[in-house]
Amino acid sequence: MSSRVWYIGGTDQEYRAWVDMGAPVARLSDDALDETRGAAWVIEGTVGPLASKRRRLQRLSGLGYAHILTAANTATLAAQTRWMGSTVRLIGYDPLLVMAQGSVQTLVSSRPDDTEGLQGLFPGRRWHEVADQVGLVFSREILPIINEAAAFAAQGLTSAEIDQAMRLGLNYPRGPFAWAEVFGWDSVYWGLRAMEDMYGPRFRPHPWIRHQIGSSLIEREDGACEK
Amino acid sequence: MPTVIIGSGTMGSGIAEVIVARGGSAVLVDPDASARERAQVRIAKNLSRSFEKGRLAERAEDCLARLEMSGTAPVDGVEWVIEAVPENVQLKQRLFGELDAQYPETVWLASNTSSIAIGRLQSRTRHPERVGGLHFFNPVPRMQLVEIIRGLETSEDYLAAARTLTERLGKTSVVVPDRPGFLVNRVARSYYLEALRMVDEGEAPMAVVDEIMEGAGFPMGPFRVMDLVGVDVNLSVTQSVYEQTYYDERYRPHPWQEDLVERGYWGRKSGRGFYRYE
């Protein structure tokens, strides 16, 4: 097995964040998945409709990986396990917390030695196991802040004003728009959509955010995303 | 011209402290003599500490010479009146009616409210265009931001004067609409509410939620912030936003907060909140 960690399906921002976390992570397109056969660690970070993620995970299920670290902020690990079958060892993580470069990372796992494995792979980070719920902890905290801030942008305040107010008023490390730039607006939108689906309309993405990622965005039945 | 500040609690005394520390003069008004005395002691102590630490060029005594403590608000020679009385809408509405009658229309009237709509205060005045919000953050001497709140009828001249005042105080201002919770408190509500819901649902223990958020760069996790500002204060702001948004579920207070407040577990100030501090 190769010691390399393969990153599949996510965003440039997230890929760079994994690299910054110090593990030998390499990015791979879907066309080259055969190269990853039998890998010890694969990170799956699809951003978009769940159908896209499900389709990609199903493709990965026959490649004999030892571990798949899968973004679990938009779909529970239980759901992903059902999609893939129980023979594949899945560990859930929060991609937004990775992009935030949090010193404490969250994981969802059914095996105690997974924490140890991740700590070995990404030295300098502590991994806390949390319950298998959409949003995990960080996404559920940060995305509604961005969503609220979007309402003020829609009312004419500039992103710079809003960011400055949140930093100076509450000592936030970044303003909501600076966070959104770190994550990418697609990740913001789909993270909110998943939580809206799970917890209700309080997470509905503000139209201003929808506008950021393409005002005519339509989800097709096959799960692809049109802009 | 002195700035009149009505209410000598934490916010009122903090605003007065900043004004005199920046070379201005202030009259801090409170009908309660013992409250005035406590405020004066607090301001003197803070100014002395700032001088000792080199944050203040002028001696505390010299700054304090520009501070007057009074039981009644002076009228003559005043440019600004800033209200910082407790967050009670009836109390503030009555006060603004009185201030509006008492002061010539050239005097700017500001509320330091953190959550009451400025429009509700303007509604009790004959000259609503000279009324707006000046929302300072606690602790006033250390927090850089002031939200200037534009009520429905607040004039552009008020906004310009408010910008000038906040600059004079060394603060950064942002003009925000008169929405429930204004900007900062509104945007921050979910930081507390989602944390409460997550812990309640068993997503993670509160210490872990705090640790995760602090690990991502937030100076304090949501539970530690609530304990610092006061569980009661946080609940009151949330209730105010919830009511003013006609019960939008995003801002629904959590029963856990109510439970702690009922028991007197108000945070650090009472020795116990979400955490214990004994």
Side-chain angles (χ1 to χ4, degrees), chain B residues 49-68:
Chain B
R49 197 184 306 131
S50 295
F51 180 73
E52 283 159 19
K53 292 195 168 179
R55 293 195 298 256
L56 189 62
E58 207 177 6
R59 292 170 60 84
E61 295 77 26
D62 297 332
C63 295
L64 285 168
R66 294 192 295 274
L67 175 66
E68 184 189 333

Side-chain angles (χ1 to χ4, degrees), chain B residues 77-90:
Chain B
V78 171
E79 185 185 8
W80 276 95
V81 178
I82 303 173
E83 163 279 308
V85 302
E87 287 286 280
N88 175 303
V89 69
Q90 284 82 22

Side-chain angles (χ1 to χ4, degrees), chain B residues 125-189:
Chain B
T125 64
R126 287 169 302 127
H127 300 290
E129 69 283 352
R130 49 98 165 245
V131 177
L134 275 181
H135 180 212
F136 291 82
F137 288 76
N138 188 24
V140 181
R142 287 219 303 273
M143 298 306 282
Q144 186 64 24
L145 183 72
V146 178
E147 287 180 321
I148 299 173
I149 297 125
R150 181 206 294 265
L152 186 64
E153 294 168 279
T154 305
S155 69
E156 288 299 324
D157 288 345
Y158 172 95
L159 300 178
R163 281 195 199 94
T164 304
L165 175 69
T166 50
E167 271 168 35
R168 215 158 59 210
L169 300 181
K171 304 288 186 191
T172 303
S173 63
V174 57
V175 177
V176 302
D178 191 15
R179 300 179 77 211
F182 312 127
L183 169 62
V184 171
N185 277 335
R186 176 75 167 257
V187 171
R189 296 275 48 85

